[in-house]
């Protein structure tokens, strides 16, 4: 017993102070894109052609990025001849509507929406029980979500907890493009949940299918099955992005 107390005192306090203190992100972190307005060179589709997820399009106003598809690899920024694309360090990427994930030219700054599901805030403002389902994911989104249970993040201090049974869950957090083999399991998990319940699409694959959008073995994301209440983009989303979005869903951030 004394050795445990001694070890605890020696280790000190390791849990981050987010959201009271802004997170320290690595220099290579790619957040919400900033797109320069103005016409692109004629017939230039370098950014479109290099995007592995088909997230970039070009209009008369300039490039446009669907962050629900985007892998945040920044390849488009490296090939743009007029440097019209750059990725900021804005980590607050979670939204409550699919159309809010479209980054348009000329938007110098982006503020995440604060108006979410009022019923969810009323039910889950102090605690949120999550059943996580990996619907054919590569495990990257799953790992970054699991990180939130570690000492460094400790999402339990906000009343957020992962539960084993969907019958004990307030919401279902889905990762992966929803493969054909996982479709029935996901449907059964959702049907087993008590009502009201909410759906969270975590990662590009869950939102849009990501790089598997055109695969006959995947359903191209959650919207073809259930309508998500919260979208958390990224490939994978940074743990800070996930935690901030969950807190905003609860009305605590």
């Amino acid at each position: 017993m004394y050795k445990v107390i001694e070890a605890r005192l020696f280790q000190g306090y390791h849990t981050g102070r987010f959201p009271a203190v802004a997170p320290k992100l690595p220099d290579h972190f790619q957040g919400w894109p900033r797109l320069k307005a103005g016409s692109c060179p004629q017939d230039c589709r370098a950014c479109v052609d290099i995007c592995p997820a088909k997230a970039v399009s070009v209009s008369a106003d300039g490039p446009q990025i669907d962050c629900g598809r985007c892998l945040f690899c920044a390849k488009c920024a490296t090939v743009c001849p007029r440097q019209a694309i750059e990725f900021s360090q804005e980590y607050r990427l979670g939204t409550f509507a699919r159309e809010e994930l479209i980054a348009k030219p000329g938007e110098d700054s982006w503020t995440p929406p604060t108006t979410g599901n009022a019923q969810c805030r009323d039910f889950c403002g102090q605690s949120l029980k999550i059943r996580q389902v990996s619907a054919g994911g590569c495990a990257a989104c799953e790992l970054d979500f699991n990180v939130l249970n570690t000492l460094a993040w400790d999402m339990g201090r906000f009343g957020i907890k992962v539960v084993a049974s969907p019958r004990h869950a307030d919401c279902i957090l889905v990762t992966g493009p929803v493969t054909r083999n996982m479709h029935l399991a996901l449907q059964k998990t959702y049907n087993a949940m008590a009502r009201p319940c909410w759906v969270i699409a975590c990662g590009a694959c869950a939102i849009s299918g990501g790089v598997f959008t055109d695969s006959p073995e995947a359903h191209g994301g959650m919207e073809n099955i259930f309508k998500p209440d919260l979208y958390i983009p990224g490939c994978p989303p940074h743990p800070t992005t996930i935690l901030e979005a969950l807190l905003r869903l609860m009305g605590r951030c």
Side-chain angles (χ1 to χ4, degrees), residues 40 44 86 91 100 143 151 213-214:
C40 294
C44 178
E86 69 170 321
Y91 63 89
E100 291 169 347
L143 287 172
L151 180 64
T213 298
D214 299 326

Side-chain angles (χ1 to χ4, degrees), residues 32-108:
W32 186 261
R34 294 195 184 104
L35 309 174
K36 188 186 298 182
S39 59
C40 294
Q42 190 175 10
D43 299 328
C44 178
R45 291 176 53 83
C47 58
V48 177
D49 294 339
I50 202 171
C51 180
K54 302 179 182 177
V56 186
S57 59
V58 177
S59 66
D61 297 326
Q64 181 172 286
I65 297 179
D66 181 353
C67 291
R69 285 176 173 257
C70 183
L71 308 183
F72 294 85
C73 64
K75 289 183 178 180
C76 54
T78 62
V79 300
C80 181
R82 70 184 188 95
Q83 299 181 329
I85 304 173
E86 69 170 321
F87 286 82
S88 70
Q89 288 234 317
E90 177 55 74
Y91 63 89
R92 299 171 300 169
L93 305 178
T95 64
F96 303 111
R98 180 67 176 88
E99 58 270 17
E100 291 169 347
L101 289 175
I102 308 300
K104 300 177 181 178
E107 298 177 346
D108 294 332

Side-chain angles (χ1 to χ4, degrees), residues 2-14:
Y2 291 110
K3 289 184 177 180
V4 172
I5 296 175
E6 182 182 4
R8 180 66 183 87
L9 293 174
F10 175 78
Q11 291 173 1
Y13 187 83
H14 291 288

